[in-house]
Amino acid sequence: MALRSVPNTQRMMAEYDVGKDIIAALRCHPANSKVQRQGALAIRNLASRGDVAVKEALIDLGVEELLRNTTGQLPDSVEEAYAALRDLGFQVSMIHYTLDSDGKVIRGGTVQMSGEVKPKFRATFEPTNDIEGMISYQAEEAMKKNIELKADENEVAFDLFFNS
């Protein structure tokens, strides 16, 4: 409905008050991960495609508390809650939790989410004007690897067939 259309988002919020309906559905179904996931996606779409007024209207409806304490607590909707909170402008991070052998919860480190800059990410490539040469080189390297893999597979198959 609202994807990629700021005017549609504004209209849906102003004329149809969809934020209230989405939040009401989330509140009525706190344990239903499918409803929570879809609601968080809808809120994220509204927030990312809307203007400041749309975001403020959602915040005024109490969406932050709901996303953090209900939607964000369900494994199937935690990433969507994170994205919605992020697009609403809130500071968020995800923490990784595991269980030890005794069933105790262990808090891990912060999980890096998509959209964040990875510490070892190289945002640029080496410039070249020889595009055809690079394509040729990459194709030759791929062919060498493929031939080596096929040779290894044939040797294994040969060994299994004749040495069984």
Side-chain angles (χ1 to χ4, degrees), residues 60-91:
D60 289 345
L61 292 169
V63 74
E64 179 186 14
E65 184 274 328
L66 189 60
L67 289 171
R68 286 188 191 276
N69 299 323
T70 304
T71 311
Q73 301 301 311
L74 299 172
D76 292 338
S77 59
V78 68
E79 290 180 14
E80 290 77 9
Y82 171 91
L85 287 164
R86 179 198 61 214
D87 288 355
L88 283 163
F90 292 107
Q91 194 71 312

Side-chain angles (χ1 to χ4, degrees), residues 51-144:
D51 58 6
V52 174
V54 169
K55 292 177 186 179
E56 287 175 355
L58 290 167
I59 293 167
D60 289 345
L61 292 169
V63 74
E64 179 186 14
E65 184 274 328
L66 189 60
L67 289 171
R68 286 188 191 276
N69 299 323
T70 304
T71 311
Q73 301 301 311
L74 299 172
D76 292 338
S77 59
V78 68
E79 290 180 14
E80 290 77 9
Y82 171 91
L85 287 164
R86 179 198 61 214
D87 288 355
L88 283 163
F90 292 107
Q91 194 71 312
V92 288
S93 61
M94 288 183 62
I95 309 297
H96 180 71
Y97 290 91
T98 56
L99 294 176
D100 67 9
S101 58
D102 298 327
K104 264 180 141 174
V105 176
I106 301 171
R107 184 178 192 257
T110 302
V111 177
Q112 197 155 31
M113 298 301 292
S114 62
E116 295 178 352
V117 178
K118 310 292 187 266
K120 293 184 180 178
F121 178 71
R122 244 178 81 207
T124 60
F125 296 96
E126 300 300 323
T128 181
N129 291 327
D130 184 20
I131 293 174
E132 282 128 8
M134 286 302 291
I135 292 171
S136 258
Y137 172 77
Q138 294 293 332
E140 287 172 18
E141 290 300 307
M143 288 292 286
K144 286 179 192 174

Side-chain angles (χ1 to χ4, degrees), residues 153-164:
E153 288 171 4
N154 288 338
E155 287 175 22
V156 171
F158 180 81
D159 288 342
L160 289 174
F161 184 73
F162 289 105
N163 297 327
S164 314

Side-chain angles (χ1 to χ4, degrees), residues 24-46:
L26 294 175
R27 286 195 173 121
C28 286
H29 306 282
N32 187 325
S33 61
K34 290 180 181 179
V35 171
Q36 296 296 318
R37 182 177 184 277
Q38 291 303 317
L41 287 169
I43 290 168
R44 178 182 181 256
N45 284 338
L46 290 169

